[in-house]
Structures are given as C-alpha cells and as structure tokens.
Amino acid sequence: MWFFTRQIPKSQEYSGLSRIFSALMITLCSYSVLTAADLLRRGELVAIPTETVYGLAANALQPEAVVKIFEAKNRPFFDPLIVHLSGAGQLEKWALDIPESARQLARTCWPGPLTLVLPRGEHIPDLVTSGLDTAGFRVPDHPLTLELLTLLDFPLAAPSANPFGYISPTTAEHVMDQLNGRIGMVLDGGPCRVGLESTIVGFEFGKPVIYRLGGLTRERIEENVGPVELMLNQSGDPRSPGQLKSHYAPRVPLRLGDPVELSRELPGKRLGILAFQRIPEGEWQAGRVLSPGGDPAEAARNLFGMLRELDAESLDFILAERLPESGLGRAINDRLERAAG
Ligand code: TXA
Ligand code: MG
C-alpha cells in the first residue's frame, strides 16, 4: 500500500529504534487518514483536526451527509457551515466573482486561520450555506487534514465539533467527551496550534470586512489588503450565529472584568478565576492562568481547554479577565464576551 512507500527524510540521522518508531507513526497516521476518507466517501461524519479548533466534517456536496452535522450538533439550520478546501487553487472551482483582495488573502494566508465569505458556485448545496448566496471557504493548516482533503474529490463542510453554543474543542478528547457515539470517528491530530476559530472576512462592495475575529489578527490582514472594517454582529443576526451575542459558552455562568471587583458582588459563591498572567489574591475555588509570560498566542491555545476545565469544577461563577485589546487579545476578549452572553 502507498503509505508504506513514504520516505523518511535522509537529512536526519535515525537510530534503529527511532527509525522504526517514525515509520510506525507515519503508517498509523496515514492509516487513520485513509479510514477517515473512506467514512466521508460513505456519507459519514468525521471530526478533523485543524490549527484553529476541531471541525465536524462531512462531504460538502452531499446534503444527506451534511444534514447529519446539524443533527449531531443540535445546530439550527439557519447557521451556515464553512467549506474546507485542499488548497487556494480550489477556490476558483467553488466560488464566483472573487475580488482581487480575496485572492491576495488566499495566496498569503492559506493554509491558515482565515475564512473568506464569497458568492458560491451552483454546486454548493443550500443546506451548507443556510440558503445564503455566499459561502465561507477556508484551507486549514493541519498536515493530516490537508492530506485527507487531497485524497478526496469533494470539499468538506465543517463547523466546530461541539454541541451548538458550547465551547469549541481543541483536542480529540474534547470532541469525544461530547460527540462520542454520534460520529464515525475522530482523526486525532493532537492539540490545536492556534486554539481560536478562524477570522471570517467577507467583501462588501468589493472591500474586505471582518465578520468574526479569530486566529488571524486584523493587523496581519491589513498588512495584505490595507484597512479593513469590523462588522461584528452584537445583536444576534440569525444568519451568522458564530457572531451571536451568546455563544462559545460554558455551562457555569461567566462574568468578564476585574475578578477581584466582580467577586465583591458575589459573596458566599463558589468562584473560579480565569486569569491572563497571574491569579490575584482572593477566595477562589479554582483558577487557571492563560499565559504566565503574557503571550496572547499561548493564551489563545489555552483558552477553550481551560474554560472546559473550569466548567467541570462545580462552580457558581467563572470570573474571567480581559486581555490587552490588540492582536489575538482582541479575538480572545470577543470569545469571552460571547461566553459571558
Ligand atoms: O476555525 C474555524 O473556522 C472552524 C474550523 C473547524 O474550520 N470552524 C468554525 O465553524 O468555527 P463554525 O460553524 O463554528 O462557525 C461558522 C461560522 C458561522 O456561524 C457563521 O458565523 C460563519 O461561519 N459563516 C459561514 N458561512 C457564512 C456566510 N455565507 N456568510 C456569513 N457568515 C458565514
Ligand atoms: Mg462553532
């Protein structure tokens, strides 16, 4: 079989044992990718690793497969899905009227944490886009999922692999905790490198607009295409629930602000704290620090996992601290605001 013929890089010196281990790992990885491809071809659901969060994937061209995503997640049909492609070159095949700024972003930022909303070609089913005449497209940056997409002759529709409204999964275990028994398999690609969903960019009168803050910073986008407007929905436009006011939420109520001040208003309650760099003095039942060194990228990677951990601690409230409002900090604050509902 083809996966036995893969070469181990010659530039590296391998001892006998590590050579066998590497060959075994490559074989196992490829085997799981083949299994995932087979399930997807048969119209089943597979949770896939991406650099942002795990996705729950189905054949984007097959409505009978896509409908299973909505069922497994309890997701309302008005919430459109993102279409995952194997490379930027695929965009021409599925999207129409692509503005130059979209091409530029696709060229420089894909594979990566960026979704482009563009007019869709006729082959993308209504179910994927909730009847909108645009679709969100993205090339995820994860070797297993790219390998999988390259094997398939269809793109993958995939929202985040969590029950609707709950915290997105950043490990295979997070997916299994909630969707075990409802999906064909999880392709385990390790913990997600970015940890926040993709930044969603649309085009209004040809000009790029950010609909959802995410793993690609506004600054990075502006380096490529000049100033972009933010059009983050705060009111709850049913067309884009990723932008709903309450989303990404733990079950324990979350309050956002200065934890010490917030705790004064909650005497006698069991409080958990989600701090950025250090946990301040106080009566906390549980605490997590997103990044002791103050690195927003590390904080992003830890955010959803730590929220899940605090959610499991039988608390009355989670008190979360804001990050400085720039770069990834802005996207993290956006998620925390929505988690606070
Ligand atoms: O990083 C990500 O984007 C992850 C991974 C799996 O790729 N996916 C993800 O999907 O976060 P999901 O379903 O949780 O968020 C998809 C959001 C929708 O809620 C909506 O806000 C937006 O993408 N979206 C999709 N298609 C759209 C469209 N045609 N117009 C406007 N927004 C759209
Ligand atoms: Mg989601």
Side-chain angles (χ1 to χ4, degrees):
M1 263 183 274
W2 65 271
F3 52 81
F4 288 118
T5 66
R6 293 253 198 113
Q7 295 288 314
I8 290 169
K10 287 204 178 76
S11 56
Q12 289 174 34
E13 283 281 310
Y14 279 91
S15 72
L17 234 134
S18 67
R19 208 185 159 92
I20 291 169
F21 181 73
S22 302
L24 193 70
M25 283 314 288
I26 291 173
T27 306
L28 286 177
C29 285
S30 297
Y31 181 72
S32 54
V33 170
L34 289 177
T35 310
D38 191 46
L39 283 166
L40 289 162
R41 286 191 194 102
R42 289 193 274 127
E44 297 302 327
L45 302 183
V46 173
I48 53 169
T50 83
E51 79 285 27
T52 58
V53 301
Y54 274 73
L56 184 56
N59 178 347
L61 306 183
Q62 207 183 84
E64 310 78 56
V66 174
V67 79
K68 294 179 185 172
I69 295 177
F70 290 91
E71 288 166 358
K73 276 187 61 114
N74 270 326
R75 182 176 175 112
F77 287 106
F78 58 69
D79 189 1
L81 307 178
I82 293 172
V83 177
H84 295 69
L85 308 174
S86 60
Q90 290 282 309
L91 195 57
E92 307 288 338
K93 206 167 155 188
W94 308 107
L96 307 173
D97 309 326
I98 308 170
E100 186 41 42
S101 49
R103 287 179 202 282
Q104 168 74 11
L105 285 171
R107 265 196 306 271
T108 51
C109 303
W110 278 352
L114 168 73
T115 293
L116 296 173
V117 173
L118 293 166
R120 62 165 160 148
E122 55 181 333
H123 300 296
I124 309 272
D126 281 342
L127 191 58
V128 171
T129 67
S130 308
L132 296 172
D133 48 18
T134 55
F137 297 96
R138 145 169 152 78
V139 179
D141 190 11
H142 192 290
L144 289 186
T145 292
L146 284 173
E147 190 182 339
L148 175 65
L149 283 162
T150 310
L151 278 179
L152 298 171
D153 58 4
F154 48 82
L156 291 175
S160 50
N162 51 281
F164 183 69
Y166 193 67
I167 306 163
S168 298
T170 52
T171 65
E173 291 74 38
H174 292 165
V175 179
M176 290 305 275
D177 284 348
Q178 293 183 301
L179 297 180
N180 195 8
R182 297 187 180 205
I183 62 180
M185 78 177 270
V186 183
L187 185 58
D188 189 347
C192 298
R193 179 172 59 75
V194 174
L196 283 182
E197 299 86 349
S198 59
T199 303
I200 301 181
V201 173
F203 299 85
E204 308 263 336
F205 306 103
K207 288 220 174 331
V209 175
I210 295 179
Y211 293 144
R212 176 175 78 181
L213 293 167
L216 188 71
T217 61
R218 179 185 189 171
E219 291 83 349
R220 183 79 175 53
I221 292 169
E222 292 187 331
E223 275 167 27
N224 278 286
V225 292
V228 287
E229 299 262 326
L230 293 187
M231 276 185 53
L232 311 177
N233 194 312
Q234 299 295 333
S235 64
D237 179 347
R239 285 174 312 157
S240 302
Q243 293 140 251
L244 276 184
K245 226 177 150 201
S246 170
H247 211 71
Y248 313 103
R251 285 183 209 89
V252 175
L254 183 141
R255 299 272 173 89
L256 183 61
D258 178 337
V260 175
E261 272 174 34
L262 289 169
S263 69
R264 286 197 197 109
E265 296 156 21
L266 300 164
K269 299 290 183 194
R270 289 175 59 87
L271 304 177
I273 175 166
L274 184 65
F276 178 32
Q277 291 188 256
R278 67 190 65 83
I279 296 178
E281 292 277 314
E283 290 281 305
W284 319 115
Q285 304 293 322
R288 295 289 184 281
V289 175
L290 288 171
S291 172
D295 172 14
E298 184 185 27
R301 267 196 302 281
N302 285 331
L303 178 70
F304 289 147
M306 289 184 172
L307 273 175
R308 278 173 186 260
E309 286 167 14
L310 290 172
D311 206 19
E313 292 270 358
S314 61
L315 301 166
D316 296 318
F317 291 93
I318 298 170
L319 308 181
E321 222 171 44
R322 269 176 214 283
L323 267 72
E325 264 295 300
S326 66
L328 282 177
R330 217 182 275 149
I332 293 171
N333 291 341
D334 170 87
R335 295 301 182 277
L336 288 171
E337 272 156 27
R338 289 169 208 277

